[in-house]
Amino acid sequence: MSTTVPVVERVLSANDAVAAEVRAQLDARGIFCLNLMAGPGAGKTSLIERTVAALKDEIPIGMINGDTSAAAFDAERSQRAGAASVHINTGGKCHLEAAMVRDALALLPLEKIRLLLIENVGNLVCPMSWKLGAHANVLISSVPEGDDKPYKYPKMYAGVDVLVLNKIDLLPYVDFDRAKFLRGVEALNPGLRSFELSCRTGEGLEAWIAWLKQIAGASR
Amino acid sequence: MHELAITQAMLDIVLKHARGARVRKVSVTVGEWTGYVGDSIELFWRELARGTPAEDAQLEFRLEPATLRCRTCSAVFPVDGSMLACPRCGALGGEPAGGRDCMVESIEIEGGESP
């Protein structure tokens, strides 16, 4: 004898509930939070270094770095740049989860922070499914990855709130069809707020920094 | 590794609804947008569920294709192989439609009593 029990529950509903807790905690303190996602090597840490360097005198910044290993290189780079940072070792998991962020918040001086940058694990597939409670999900793509990425990772491009195209200084040297890339982005996420920049040369960074000043300033 | 965490979340949901009863079958819908693979979930399940009332459960997957809804003509078309162009009117792109979620739909447990 057996019975069928209807469940109809989203597998990630428990994570979503924790993400909502994280968001409530951030909102209560007036902290604006970005979830930075990208494939490995797109320049997440470089963008963070540039961002912290440009903003640290005006906006106190906190950092959460997710990595699949205990090697805290990225957190150290953020720390050196001037941000209070916590390293999360995901123990092999290919994405951050809301509970990891909740636990990391307890280790940060939240009363001093106005902008929180979460560096997700380098991966274009999984992180998008796991909400963290951030106010904006940011995808950092880069020129050498190729112009076909929106077509190959449509879920990521469809789901983000902000797009950064990094390494534009390499455009003259690689076969990257910018129009094709942007067509794919527009197809999946019309009107997406986008920044084209180079962390190496600094080109295009002003617009990104100006946007952050505007949103982090307005959140309190 | 992608499916390890999702399988744990799935197992948590199943055990909660089974309330201690042995679980014979778990029916899951896997949306293609999620990128999760049934075979991998199955593999992790055998590890994670060991020693729980769901260790022998048969996992039944229904794959829901990832689709886009055309913003011009409203046709719903599969993402896979489309290069994001609507096969009906040729317009590029659309809103993500089907296949976005991974859901535990129902479970079959031993015993005749409906909880």
Side-chain angles (χ1 to χ4, degrees):
Chain A
M1 184 92 185
S2 71
T3 312
T4 299
V5 182
V7 176
V8 197
E9 196 168 319
R10 290 187 59 244
V11 170
L12 288 175
S13 53
N15 180 74
D16 291 354
V18 179
E21 270 177 49
V22 169
R23 171 69 75 89
Q25 202 183 339
L26 295 169
D27 285 344
R29 293 187 176 268
I31 298 171
F32 192 88
C33 176
L34 300 181
N35 173 19
L36 304 172
M37 297 177 286
K44 291 185 297 300
T45 310
S46 299
L47 184 64
I48 288 163
E49 283 175 322
R50 283 285 198 167
T51 303
V52 172
L55 289 176
K56 65 179 176 191
D57 295 333
E58 282 177 67
I59 301 174
I61 301 176
M63 273 294 318
I64 297 175
N65 305 81
D67 226 315
T68 53
S69 74
F73 303 129
D74 294 349
E76 283 160 16
R77 282 173 66 182
S78 312
Q79 195 103 41
R80 270 201 301 277
S85 63
V86 174
H87 175 79
I88 298 177
N89 175 2
T90 64
K93 280 186 189 171
C94 52
H95 56 269
L96 287 179
E97 298 175 11
M100 300 173 188
V101 173
R102 182 190 55 197
D103 296 347
L105 286 184
L107 303 172
L108 283 168
L110 295 181
E111 65 289 347
K112 292 185 191 147
I113 291 171
R114 292 193 48 200
L115 177 64
L116 178 64
L117 306 176
I118 301 176
E119 180 174 2
N120 216 311
V121 178
N123 176 352
L124 286 175
V125 180
C126 306
M128 197 61 230
S129 307
W130 297 81
K131 290 181 192 158
L132 301 181
H135 296 89
N137 290 310
V138 181
L139 171 62
I140 303 162
S141 51
S142 66
V143 165
E145 289 169 50
D147 49 31
D148 59 350
K149 288 300 164 287
Y151 306 86
K152 293 180 92 166
Y153 299 94
K155 190 189 184 198
M156 184 59 95
Y157 281 83
V160 292
D161 307 301
V162 179
L163 174 68
V164 172
L165 177 63
N166 189 20
K167 309 191 189 183
I168 56 169
D169 53 308
L170 296 180
L171 278 170
Y173 310 106
V174 293
D175 292 326
F176 182 91
D177 181 343
R178 184 172 167 273
K180 177 185 169 189
F181 177 80
L182 294 177
R183 260 199 317 277
V185 172
E186 184 66 16
L188 292 161
N189 202 328
L192 178 63
R193 184 186 297 278
S194 304
F195 299 93
E196 298 182 27
L197 51 80
S198 163
C199 288
R200 197 172 74 84
T201 65
E203 186 187 354
L205 270 167
E206 325 78 59
W208 162 254
I209 297 298
W211 175 68
L212 284 177
K213 277 187 194 172
Q214 189 197 330
I215 50 164
S219 69
R220 180 172 290 195
Chain B
M1 285 309 281
H2 303 316
E3 285 81 3
L4 175 60
I6 199 89
T7 307
Q8 184 63 56
M10 203 177 281
L11 179 62
D12 292 344
I13 290 171
V14 167
L15 293 177
K16 180 178 75 183
H17 286 269
R19 300 183 190 184
R22 285 204 79 75
V23 182
R24 288 189 177 170
K25 194 164 97 179
V26 178
S27 300
V28 181
T29 298
V30 179
E32 194 187 349
W33 286 100
T34 65
Y36 299 131
V37 179
D39 286 353
S40 300
I41 295 174
E42 179 85 41
L43 196 71
F44 285 121
W45 186 276
R46 297 303 148 215
E47 279 304 315
L48 295 170
R50 189 179 294 159
T52 75
E55 66 182 340
D56 299 322
Q58 177 202 340
L59 304 183
E60 189 181 77
F61 298 103
R62 189 179 69 84
L63 183 71
E64 195 180 77
T67 54
L68 289 173
R69 181 174 290 102
C70 175
R71 293 192 189 89
T72 306
C73 76
S74 296
V76 172
F77 60 96
V79 171
D80 194 30
S82 66
M83 280 308 273
L84 308 181
C86 172
R88 191 155 84 188
C89 74
L92 197 60
E95 296 293 332
R100 304 178 75 175
D101 280 329
C102 180
M103 312 261 300
V104 179
E105 301 288 353
S106 64
I107 58 175
E108 200 179 294
I109 57 173
E110 286 183 7
E113 211 184 328
S114 209

